[in-house]
Amino acid sequence: MKYYPVFTLRYFILFFLAALISSEATSQSFHRYSFNRISRANGLVSDDVTAVAQDSSGFIWISTSNGLQRYDGKRFRTFQHNPDDSSTLPPEGIGQIIYDRKFRLWVLTSANKIGIFDTKHFVFRRVNINIEPEFRNNQILTFKEEPDGQIFLLVHKYGLVSLDEKNLQFTREANPIPMLGKNFPQFISRDNTTGDYFVTSVEGFDVFNKKSDSLITREGNSFLSEINSILRNENAFGPVNITQDHKGRIWLNIWSNKRSGPDLLCYDTAVKKWHSYANSVSASAKGYHEFRGILIQKNGDIWIYGTNLFAKLNNETNAFEDVRNEALQSLSVPFEMIYHMYEDKDENIWASANNGLYIFNPEKQFISTFSNKRKDGVEQHFPVDFILETKSGNIFTSIWGLGLFTYDNKFKPIESPILPDKANIALSVWDMVERKNGDFWMGIQGGSIYIFEKKINKLHQFKPRAVEDHTIRQVCEDSSGSMWFGTQSGLLVKCVNSDWRDSTNSFKLIMRMNAHVIKLYTDSKGRIWVGTDRDGLYVIDSQTDKVIEHFTDLEPGNLRLPGIYVSDILQYQDSLFLIASSGLCVLNLERRKMDRISVADGLPSNDIVCITTDHLGNIWLGSQSGPYRMRLGSKMYYTFGAEDGIVFGRRKIAEVTTLKDGRIVFGTSSDLLIVHPDKIKLPDFAPVPQLSDFKVFDKRRSVDSILNNERIVLAYNENSLTIDFTTYTYSNNPVVMYMMEGVDKTWKQAIQNEVSYSYLAPGNYLLKAKSIVASGKESDRYFEMWIEIEPPFWRTWWFYFLLILVGITILYLLDLERMNKLRSNQQLRTDIALNLHDEVNSSLNNINLLSEMALRKADTHTERSKELIVQIRQQSNDLIIAMDDMLWSIDPENDSMDKTLLRMNEFIDALKARHDAKITLNIDPDVVQLKPDMKIRHGIFTIFKDGLRLICQLGGGRDSIINLNLDKNKLMIDMADKVKLNLADLNVTKYLENIRVHADQIKADVDIQTDKDSTRIVLNAPLS
């Protein structure tokens, strides 16, 4: 069941018979308001909107049949029932909401559930209604807060229950007034002046005096006696919706069973009389209607609303007039019901209807929209060709093919004093001028000229030959009284001294242009300015008929027009002219300079059609996209739209003029826009922008959680942001400017209040935002939000510290390895030296011993002495070779395999020469590239020498083959010859032992094979 939140009289009656409205009761809206509609297409969860309230932060809260929503002017946040969360709203539709003086949002559902919704933490707290069980399902007809903060409910067939703040429940005991005898109050409203209460009960209408705690006596009280008399005579129910306006007048409505319809009554405390508005309300409703409520605006304006009812009191006529117009019809199907009307802090009115939410600001709608029509009332929605205000104050307009339309100063259609309406219907009047003598000259389709001669009140019609039957688009009068005509075909014709009767001689063809004449204009010096559509702008001397200037897009230097189409010319100052041509051109004839103002300079559009000024010096421009206002020297350009009163779809401007009383009239593609410059109230307060939405890579973050933190911290890969702002102003929104310190050098304008940053580098940023209103004033402080983009771990200080620590460690380990290697090499060299020392010491001892023996045998055993001397020589030679090998091995310059192989070849060459032997050395190319350490290299070389000595020197081998190969990670030395070793020889034994010792030192495997035919020594030495 649909819930109607405001008191409805249909529940007090048993039938619903619509009253027949008299055909004489007609009403016409005195102001055509423009409305903005918010619907499901804009984000509402339901088009069935029941109420609106604004909280202290500026958010608009909207109750619908499908939940509660918060609106910031751009985005909605929706709150609905969640069966798994008891702190959410009840499942039923919401009938009404109230934001009370204690900053609580009250929610009433269609199932009579009432509670408080926390607007900060978004939880719902149920509040009990303490009434008898049999009445708990009765409908709550009214939910209201009084000016003193008292909150009460009106329960059908039960009466009034008020909020007990202490126990937070609704009960009769908390009512500000007691029972009235045996009856309970059915409706109350507090008197703003006296503090008394107006009370409705089954006994009628009374006033409860709070001081005496009793009802005021009806007898002798004209206020009470008259209204109760009306209630009895009309057999009426009520009154309800009792409201007091700023003048102290008391408004209420009743349902008259006598007339089967509602009535709106007002008691004027100044004259002490009741007045019924039934006729004007019925006329505005144009059919069956019901009251839902009365809205008293802050400025005192009075609105009524309900079923098939949306009207405003015209203070001049003291009648309610319907404000529904084609603006509402163009937005949607006309609504059937307005449940609630609400005025926010900026005087915007929100109308909650059964098919959406409507918002408008009557005070800011200084532009009125009027359709062209005559006294028959038939509206003509076609382009306006010209607008002319006469010296008498009447106003003429024209529509091609429909003739002239004539109005008085208040735009009330009147009979034309020039052309009767019947003779005017199919006429095409392109332009019209009132001469200084009061005559009217008109340019007509097909080359005709109409002249209305005022002295004799007569209309003349003729076709001058000089016009050549071409349509006359423009007419003007010069300073000497001659008339000028511009035609569709590009002819410029002059009627000298306006002597139209001598049409043959007085009409002169001045020039023929290859273009249409769009505009003729006479300046203060009598010069004629001719604007064309394809040939730029001409300036003609009206005395000599000569062209003094011709401005085109081909002009050199500073006098070039941006285009060849000139639609309007206006003399702004003595030598300063405004020209509509691809933007606005400012021509200074004295300085010989043409400046252009275009979109690049902030002008809303370049397609300027017409120009005028108001008495404040502002320049008004008409364009294909609507009217603008500006001042020379200022970069503030003001655009106007629906929120200013322009009815939806009526913005294409064709003509403009300024009336003598200061009003500006624009002719559009379908009607007239009347601007009241004096009523323009530029805001003098700029609100601080607030965060509305925050997205990271198009993923929305909770705004409320962001605002609860001093800064927002994001990861390095969350660095593309889209931020929306709101100013909580729901009409005439200010411009939001922003700057992010560390990124932006200047303030930038947020397009549709949206800010985007892509791929921000890690760091700390301060985002600042401010607003600028139409008056140029800025918000007194900034919105500020710190944003931190964390660097990736590899760009953090601790990672850098760790890298430095690791680097130092690596360097330390490398140096330690280097030192260990140096020590190892040094130790190896020391070991080699010690080994050599032992070998040298042993050899020297042997040499010494052999020398002694040779000396003793020299005299007696000469042969033996010679043998000893030979041994001495051999050991001395071995000693020299060993010392040379030692010195070579410990030299760092020889720490390479290449040098080792070279040393091996030197040793082979020495053996070859000494023993006349053939020794073949085969080296694997991979062996040359090896880099074994010094210990392995020394061991390999020592084994190589000892092995070769065994084969060649001790074994007598003369055809030795040596192979050096790389097998995986081992160096293999294979030495062979066809000789047999004498294992009994001590020298052979010594060399074999040395080979095994050195092989063990480098952990190599050695295999020594010898038999009667051959000897082979194979060494497998690991390289690491």
Side-chain angles (χ1 to χ4, degrees):
M1 179 183 69
K2 184 180 292 185
Y3 174 65
Y4 296 93
V6 187
F7 175 75
T8 300
L9 291 171
R10 72 167 60 175
Y11 297 107
F12 285 86
I13 61 174
L14 300 176
F15 59 90
F16 305 94
L17 181 65
L20 296 176
I21 306 300
S22 171
S23 60
E24 296 180 358
T26 60
S27 175
Q28 181 180 346
S29 174
F30 60 98
H31 194 115
R32 294 166 68 190
Y33 293 105
S34 179
F35 303 88
N36 286 326
R37 177 178 179 246
I38 302 173
S39 66
R40 290 184 64 186
N42 308 108
L44 282 178
V45 291
S46 171
D47 284 338
D48 194 29
V49 181
T50 55
V52 163
Q54 187 174 32
D55 66 20
S56 56
S57 297
F59 286 110
I60 292 294
W61 292 85
I62 304 166
S63 63
T64 75
S65 58
N66 196 26
L68 179 69
Q69 291 185 283
R70 190 185 73 176
Y71 181 54
D72 62 13
K74 191 172 183 180
R75 306 203 181 280
F76 292 90
R77 181 162 184 177
T78 304
F79 305 94
Q80 294 172 311
H81 175 68
N82 181 354
D84 297 325
D85 188 351
S86 60
S87 67
T88 58
L89 292 164
E92 301 82 17
I94 300 174
Q96 193 173 350
I97 55 176
I98 291 176
Y99 192 75
D100 70 11
R101 286 163 175 77
K102 294 184 177 180
F103 313 111
R104 298 173 297 191
L105 182 66
W106 289 86
V107 176
L108 174 63
T109 75
S110 57
N112 287 0
K113 296 175 184 176
I114 192 169
I116 299 171
F117 186 79
D118 189 329
T119 58
K120 301 298 182 184
H121 302 95
F122 312 126
V123 294
F124 178 77
R125 178 186 178 186
R126 182 87 177 267
V127 175
N128 184 44
I129 303 174
N130 189 8
I131 60 178
E132 287 78 359
E134 61 267 27
F135 297 105
R136 287 176 185 170
N137 292 326
N138 290 15
Q139 188 171 9
I140 296 175
L141 302 176
T142 301
F143 177 31
K144 186 180 179 184
E145 181 188 25
E146 286 295 313
D148 61 355
Q150 180 68 55
I151 299 174
F152 66 84
L153 303 171
L154 180 60
V155 181
H156 184 43
K157 294 184 179 180
Y158 183 80
L160 200 69
V161 289
S162 299
L163 178 65
D164 178 356
E165 288 283 0
K166 183 178 180 181
N167 299 307
L168 202 64
Q169 64 176 351
F170 286 90
T171 177
R172 274 180 172 171
E173 286 72 20
N175 285 342
I177 57 176
M179 288 183 60
L180 306 176
K182 296 182 180 180
N183 300 310
F184 292 101
Q186 293 179 338
F187 194 91
I188 66 169
S189 182
R190 194 170 184 269
D191 188 328
N192 298 334
T193 305
T194 63
D196 295 341
Y197 282 91
F198 303 112
V199 185
T200 297
S201 69
V202 294
E203 295 294 329
F205 182 69
D206 290 284
V207 176
F208 181 82
N209 184 271
K210 191 67 176 176
K211 293 182 179 178
S212 64
D213 202 29
S214 62
L215 295 176
I216 295 177
T217 304
R218 294 180 183 178
E219 294 181 5
N221 188 311
S222 60
F223 168 70
L224 291 174
S225 59
E226 187 173 346
I227 182 61
N228 281 288
S229 175
I230 293 172
L231 293 174
R232 288 191 300 272
N233 294 336
E234 295 289 333
N235 189 21
F237 293 99
V240 292
N241 296 323
I242 305 168
T243 309
Q244 198 168 15
D245 66 20
H246 298 346
K247 296 179 180 180
R249 295 177 296 184
I250 299 166
W251 297 81
L252 50 84
N253 61 269
I254 63 174
W255 183 277
S256 171
N257 281 324
K258 182 177 180 181
R259 291 183 288 110
S260 299
D263 193 2
L264 178 65
L265 301 174
C266 174
Y267 182 77
D268 191 334
T269 54
V271 297
K272 300 185 183 306
K273 286 186 178 181
W274 286 93
H275 176 73
S276 171
Y277 287 88
N279 290 337
S280 69
V281 171
S282 296
S284 67
K286 302 180 180 68
Y288 176 81
H289 59 281
E290 294 180 10
F291 282 97
R292 292 297 180 202
I294 303 170
L295 173 67
I296 309 295
Q297 274 193 267
K298 298 169 188 174
N299 63 2
D301 288 343
I302 299 173
W303 302 74
I304 55 175
Y305 58 92
T307 303
N308 194 33
L309 186 61
F310 189 13
K312 180 184 178 184
L313 180 66
N314 186 335
N315 291 318
E316 296 180 3
T317 62
N318 196 31
F320 281 93
E321 298 180 341
D322 189 16
V323 297
R324 295 171 294 180
N325 54 37
E326 70 274 19
L328 286 176
Q329 296 171 3
S330 65
L331 290 173
S332 65
V333 178
F335 52 74
E336 302 169 356
M337 173 84 68
I338 296 181
Y339 298 118
H340 181 246
M341 287 183 68
Y342 178 82
E343 183 181 21
D344 67 19
K345 62 182 179 64
D346 296 318
E347 299 180 350
N348 300 306
I349 293 179
W350 302 74
S352 304
N354 67 322
N355 70 336
L357 181 62
Y358 296 83
I359 175 175
F360 67 110
N361 192 316
E363 278 295 293
K364 293 180 180 178
Q365 294 195 12
F366 53 86
I367 299 177
S368 304
T369 306
F370 286 87
S371 298
N372 274 305
K373 56 189 173 184
R374 297 188 176 92
K375 293 182 68 177
D376 59 9
V378 178
E379 297 183 351
Q380 304 291 348
H381 299 291
F382 298 99
V384 176
D385 287 327
F386 76 85
I387 306 165
L388 173 68
E389 182 183 26
T390 68
K391 297 173 184 177
S392 64
N394 291 337
I395 297 163
F396 289 99
T397 68
S398 75
I399 294 177
W400 190 92
L402 293 176
L404 293 178
F405 294 80
T406 312
Y407 307 94
D408 63 12
N409 186 257
K410 295 183 178 180
F411 279 87
K412 177 182 178 181
I414 60 175
E415 187 72 30
S416 172
I418 297 175
L419 286 170
D421 288 347
K422 292 181 179 180
N424 185 26
I425 291 177
L427 197 62
S428 295
V429 183
W430 281 82
D431 198 12
M432 180 175 179
V433 171
E434 183 179 17
R435 293 191 62 219
K436 299 180 183 72
N437 64 2
D439 292 349
F440 291 93
W441 289 54
M442 289 167 274
I444 309 296
Q445 181 86 12
S448 296
I449 297 176
Y450 282 17
I451 300 176
F452 179 76
E453 200 171 2
K454 187 176 181 180
K455 287 183 180 180
I456 60 175
N457 199 29
K458 186 176 181 181
L459 182 69
H460 306 277
Q461 176 186 358
F462 61 97
K463 274 190 177 184
R465 184 178 301 172
V467 175
E468 301 177 0
D469 293 334
H470 294 298
T471 295
I472 300 173
R473 292 187 57 131
Q474 287 287 297
V475 183
C476 71
E477 182 181 15
D478 66 22
S479 56
S480 62
S482 296
M483 298 299 295
W484 293 74
F485 307 90
T487 73
Q488 180 80 0
S489 63
L491 302 181
L492 182 63
V493 177
K494 178 181 179 180
C495 180
V496 181
N497 298 323
S498 302
D499 187 7
W500 57 273
R501 287 180 172 83
D502 184 9
S503 61
T504 303
N505 298 316
S506 61
F507 283 90
K508 296 171 52 180
L509 177 62
I510 303 302
M511 63 186 301
R512 190 185 298 271
M513 296 163 284
N514 187 27
H516 302 325
V517 176
I518 304 299
K519 184 68 177 180
L520 289 182
Y521 180 76
T522 308
D523 67 17
S524 60
K525 294 184 178 180
R527 293 170 295 199
I528 305 297
W529 296 66
V530 185
T532 72
D533 67 339
R534 296 192 300 274
D535 200 16
L537 176 65
Y538 290 88
V539 183
I540 312 294
D541 187 324
S542 62
Q543 301 301 316
T544 65
D545 302 337
K546 302 293 183 181
V547 176
I548 356 180
E549 303 276 7
H550 184 201
F551 303 101
T552 70
D553 60 342
L554 301 177
E555 284 294 302
N558 296 328
L559 293 175
R560 180 181 301 168
L561 279 174
I564 56 175
Y565 194 108
V566 176
S567 56
D568 203 1
I569 308 105
L570 179 71
Q571 187 173 15
Y572 186 71
Q573 292 175 358
D574 184 52
S575 61
L576 206 63
F577 290 81
L578 305 178
I579 303 165
S581 177
S582 297
L584 181 65
C585 297
V586 182
L587 172 63
N588 191 318
L589 285 178
E590 183 177 343
R591 296 175 57 192
R592 306 296 295 172
K593 185 179 181 183
M594 180 100 66
D595 293 318
R596 183 193 180 208
I597 303 172
S598 68
V599 172
D601 305 296
L603 193 69
S605 173
N606 284 336
D607 57 351
I608 306 302
V609 177
C610 50
I611 313 169
T612 191
T613 58
D614 61 23
H615 62 284
L616 299 174
N618 298 305
I619 299 170
W620 290 78
L621 309 173
S623 77
Q624 297 294 317
S625 53
Y628 311 135
R629 196 191 77 176
M630 60 169 287
R631 291 187 76 94
L632 283 183
S634 170
K635 290 190 175 182
M636 296 294 290
Y637 303 93
Y638 304 99
T639 62
F640 304 97
E643 65 272 12
D644 304 302
I646 300 178
V647 175
F648 179 79
R650 307 187 186 280
R651 298 185 177 183
K652 191 174 181 180
I653 307 299
E655 185 58 65
V656 68
T657 193
T658 302
L659 304 182
K660 289 179 286 189
D661 61 7
R663 290 178 296 171
I664 295 173
V665 183
F666 287 97
T668 78
S669 57
S670 56
D671 49 23
L672 301 171
L673 300 180
I674 302 172
V675 182
H676 304 263
D678 292 335
K679 292 185 179 180
I680 298 177
K681 296 179 181 180
L682 296 179
D684 56 3
F685 172 74
V688 178
Q690 299 297 324
L691 188 65
S692 169
D693 194 31
F694 193 97
K695 290 187 289 186
V696 179
F697 281 110
D698 289 332
K699 292 183 179 179
R700 185 165 284 114
R701 297 289 182 90
S702 171
V703 171
D704 298 286
S705 62
I706 291 173
L707 294 176
N708 288 333
N709 298 307
E710 293 183 358
R711 65 171 56 207
I712 178 171
V713 180
L714 302 170
Y716 73 94
N717 56 354
E718 298 177 323
N719 57 349
S720 287
L721 313 177
T722 302
I723 303 167
D724 279 0
F725 290 101
T726 181
T727 54
Y728 301 118
T729 52
Y730 302 93
S731 64
N732 298 110
N733 293 326
V735 173
V736 173
M737 306 294 292
Y738 70 94
M739 181 173 66
M740 182 176 282
E741 292 184 358
V743 177
D744 303 317
K745 295 182 179 180
T746 58
W747 288 90
K748 297 180 179 180
Q749 181 177 343
I751 305 302
Q752 295 184 341
N753 292 357
E754 185 176 276
V755 176
S756 294
Y757 288 97
S758 299
Y759 301 106
L760 290 171
N764 292 300
Y765 301 96
L766 176 60
L767 178 63
K768 299 190 294 186
K770 63 181 179 181
S771 70
I772 303 176
V773 293
S775 61
K777 292 187 177 181
E778 299 183 2
S779 51
D780 55 1
R781 56 189 178 87
Y782 301 147
F783 168 87
E784 294 185 345
M785 179 173 65
W786 280 99
I787 300 173
E788 179 182 350
I789 307 294
E790 292 184 322
F793 73 89
W794 60 84
R795 295 183 62 181
T796 56
W797 66 268
W798 59 265
F799 186 76
Y800 288 141
F801 177 77
L802 183 61
L803 284 179
I804 293 171
L805 188 61
V806 170
I808 292 172
T809 303
I810 291 172
L811 290 175
Y812 171 76
L813 293 175
L814 289 174
D815 186 65
L816 183 62
E817 178 66 20
R818 184 182 66 86
M819 293 302 296
N820 289 336
K821 189 174 181 179
L822 288 174
R823 292 190 188 98
S824 176
N825 290 338
Q826 185 62 35
Q827 184 63 41
L828 182 58
R829 290 184 174 93
T830 302
D831 292 342
I832 293 171
L834 289 174
N835 291 336
L836 182 60
H837 174 270
D838 293 340
E839 186 176 347
V840 169
N841 187 51
S842 176
S843 297
L844 289 175
N845 287 332
N846 288 336
I847 291 171
N848 184 50
L849 180 61
L850 291 172
S851 299
E852 287 292 333
M853 291 175 63
L855 183 61
R856 292 178 182 179
K857 300 287 185 182
D859 294 333
T860 59
H861 297 83
T862 305
E863 292 299 325
R864 180 58 180 161
S865 176
K866 288 180 179 180
E867 291 177 2
L868 293 173
I869 291 172
V870 170
Q871 291 182 22
I872 291 171
R873 186 186 68 177
Q874 182 66 38
Q875 290 198 15
S876 298
N877 184 58
D878 291 344
L879 179 60
I880 292 170
I881 293 173
M883 291 183 68
D884 185 52
D885 288 343
M886 184 271 292
L887 294 174
W888 183 87
S889 297
I890 63 176
D891 188 352
E893 292 185 0
N894 298 320
D895 286 349
S896 67
M897 195 66 187
D898 186 50
K899 292 291 183 72
T900 302
L901 294 174
L902 183 61
R903 185 69 174 175
M904 287 180 176
N905 280 310
E906 289 176 355
F907 183 74
I908 290 172
D909 291 340
L911 288 179
K912 284 180 178 182
R914 187 181 307 164
H915 300 287
D916 191 23
K918 179 182 178 183
I919 303 173
T920 304
L921 178 61
N922 300 316
I923 303 174
D924 187 343
D926 293 336
V927 174
V928 181
Q929 307 299 325
L930 296 177
K931 295 181 180 179
D933 61 28
M934 187 174 64
K935 182 178 180 180
I936 294 174
R937 191 173 61 252
H938 175 70
I940 291 171
F941 182 62
T942 302
I943 294 171
F944 169 80
K945 288 193 307 176
D946 289 347
L948 202 53
R949 280 173 178 168
L950 276 172
I951 294 173
C952 292
Q953 184 175 322
L954 299 178
R958 296 297 179 264
D959 190 11
S960 302
I961 298 175
I962 306 170
N963 294 312
L964 271 68
N965 296 306
L966 184 64
D967 184 15
K968 295 182 180 178
N969 198 34
K970 290 184 178 181
L971 178 63
M972 186 177 71
I973 302 177
D974 188 353
M975 298 180 289
D977 203 341
K978 294 179 181 181
V979 295
K980 180 181 179 181
L981 296 178
N982 183 8
L983 299 179
D985 189 340
L986 293 177
N987 288 326
V988 172
T989 305
K990 182 182 74 171
Y991 280 116
L992 289 175
E993 183 62 27
N994 285 342
I995 289 174
R996 291 189 178 94
V997 169
H998 284 293
D1000 289 341
Q1001 287 178 350
I1002 62 173
K1003 298 179 181 180
D1005 296 327
V1006 64
D1007 183 17
I1008 303 172
Q1009 302 171 4
T1010 182
D1011 55 23
K1012 61 179 181 178
D1013 295 324
S1014 64
T1015 297
R1016 186 179 185 187
I1017 302 173
V1018 180
L1019 175 71
N1020 286 297
L1023 297 175
S1024 60

